[in-house]
Amino acid sequence: MKICVLVKEVPDAAVEKRMDPSTKRLDRSGEKNLNPFDTHAIEAAMQIKEGGAVDVDEIVAVTMGPESAVRALHKAVSLGADRSVHLTDPALAGSDVCATGYALAQVLKAESPDLVLLGQQSDDGECYTVGAVVADHLQMPSLTQVIKIDVQDGKLRCERQAEYGYDTVEVELPAVISVGDAINEPRYPSLKAIMGAKKKPLDTKSAADVGIDPSRVGEQGSRTAVLAINPPPAKEPGEIIEDEDTDETVQKIVSWLEERKLLA
Ligand SMILES: Cc1cc2nc3c(=O)[nH]c(=O)nc-3n(C[C@H](O)[C@H](O)[C@H](O)COP(=O)(O)OP(=O)(O)OC[C@H]3O[C@@H](n4cnc5c(N)ncnc54)[C@H](O)[C@@H]3O)c2cc1C
C-alpha cells in the first residue's frame, strides 16, 4: 500500500492572524509551522504502517506552497514520511480552495496512492474542504472527521465524529480520508529523524510537471473572490461581581443566569 499525506505550512498558532487589506488574503508572514491537524494524519499513516494488518511500501508527504513550505515537508519526514513532493509555482499563488484541491489532485494522480490522508482543517484557512475536492477530482470515496481507522481485508473500517455521535463506515480503497485531532497523539520526532529529514528524497514539481491547466489555478483560475473583510464585532466587557457578601454575590450570579435562561 502507498499512502500520500497532504500537509500544509501555516502561520504558527502563537502568531496573531492578520488579513492583508490590499490582497484580502491572510498575511502569512512570520513564524510558520506544519499544520497541527496534519501531524495527526502522518501519525495515522505511521500507525497503519506499524500495525502490520497491511504492508505499507511508502508514506509520501505532499504539499503545495511557496519555497518556505519545504520546512513543513522536512517536519513531515521527521515524523515518519519516507519522501516528499513539493508543488510550487508562481502560477499557483492566490488559488482558492477549488483550485488548491485541483492542483493537489494532479500531484496525487501522478503518485497513484492507495490511500490519501489529510487533516480535517488547516489552522489558517479552516475551509474543511480540501479532502472532498481532492476526492472528487480523483473519483475516490471521501470520509471526513475520521477519529479511528482499522484495516480489515484490504478495506478500512473508520469511525467518524458527527454532531449526533459517531458513524462507523467501511470504505474500499483507494480513498481520501481527513482525520480529526482525536484520532491519535502524534509522536515527537527524534533528534536523529530531524537531522536526517533533509537527506530524504524531495521532488520539486512545477504546475506544468503535473499537467496542471494554468487557467484553473491562481487568482485568475479561482472561482471565488474575497469581496470584503470585516473585523469581528468587539466583545462587550464582562461584568465583574466582587464578593463582599457571599449570599448577595450568589444571588446576583443566580439572577444573572436566570435572566439569560441559563438555569434549567
Ligand atoms: C479567494 C481566495 C483566495 C485565496 N488566496 C490564497 C493565496 O493567495 N495564498 C494562499 O496561501 N492561500 C490562499 N487562499 C487560501 C487557500 O486557498 C486555502 O488555504 C486553500 O484553499 C486550502 O484551504 P484550507 O487550508 O482552508 O483547507 P482545509 O480544507 O481546511 O484543509 C484541510 C487539509 O487539506 C490539506 N491542505 C490544505 N491546503 C493544502 C496545501 N496547500 N498543500 C497540501 N495540503 C493542503 C491539509 O492536510 C489540511 O489539513 C485563498 C482562499 C480563497 C477563498
Side-chain angles (χ1 to χ4, degrees), residues 23-247:
T23 59
K24 299 199 182 71
R25 293 181 201 158
L26 199 65
D27 174 356
R28 288 182 165 90
S29 58
E31 199 60 34
K32 296 189 197 61
N33 213 334
L34 173 61
N35 180 35
F37 282 86
D38 303 347
T39 62
H40 294 275
I42 298 163
E43 180 62 30
M46 290 299 288
Q47 289 187 11
I48 293 173
K49 184 177 178 174
E50 292 165 355
V54 66
D55 283 336
V56 174
D57 303 313
E58 60 172 351
I59 298 172
V60 185
V62 176
T63 199
M64 167 183 135
E67 216 173 295
S68 66
V70 85
R71 287 181 304 210
L73 292 175
H74 288 151
K75 179 107 189 254
V77 166
S78 74
L79 289 167
D82 299 294
R83 64 181 177 89
S84 55
V85 181
H86 184 192
L87 174 64
T88 187
D89 200 306
L92 300 165
S95 292
D96 68 358
V97 71
C98 283
T100 302
Y102 160 69
L104 289 169
Q106 287 298 110
V107 179
L108 293 167
K109 274 182 191 163
E111 288 288 335
S112 58
D114 301 289
L115 176 62
V116 178
L117 291 173
L118 67 158
Q120 70 178 25
Q121 77 200 77
S122 71
D123 221 19
D124 55 353
E126 286 189 73
C127 292
Y128 291 76
T129 315
V130 166
V133 177
V134 164
D136 190 41
H137 284 291
L138 298 178
Q139 290 294 288
M140 288 183 191
S142 154
L143 279 185
T144 54
Q145 319 227 140
V146 167
I147 49 136
K148 192 165 188 281
I149 302 177
D150 287 318
V151 185
Q152 285 178 2
D153 307 324
K155 293 178 192 166
L156 300 183
R157 201 176 162 84
C158 301
E159 259 179 40
R160 62 178 301 275
Q161 222 162 12
E163 272 173 28
Y164 45 81
Y166 299 95
D167 292 328
T168 302
V169 186
E170 198 174 75
V171 68
E172 300 230 6
L173 296 173
V176 179
I177 294 186
S178 74
V179 304
D181 55 358
I183 192 167
N184 54 40
E185 196 59 54
R187 65 195 69 189
Y188 287 101
S190 67
L191 192 60
K192 190 171 162 227
I194 295 170
M195 301 303 280
K198 288 186 186 161
K199 294 189 190 126
K200 291 272 181 88
L202 188 160
D203 287 331
T204 305
K205 301 273 185 201
S206 68
D209 288 338
V210 290
I212 287 173
D213 173 353
S215 71
R216 295 176 71 180
V217 292
E219 202 166 344
Q220 295 304 318
S222 291
R223 298 191 204 170
T224 52
V226 179
L227 300 180
I229 306 166
N230 298 300
K235 263 192 179 172
E236 280 181 33
E239 189 181 334
I240 297 171
I241 301 171
E242 304 282 354
D243 185 23
E244 278 160 19
D245 172 327
T246 302
D247 285 345

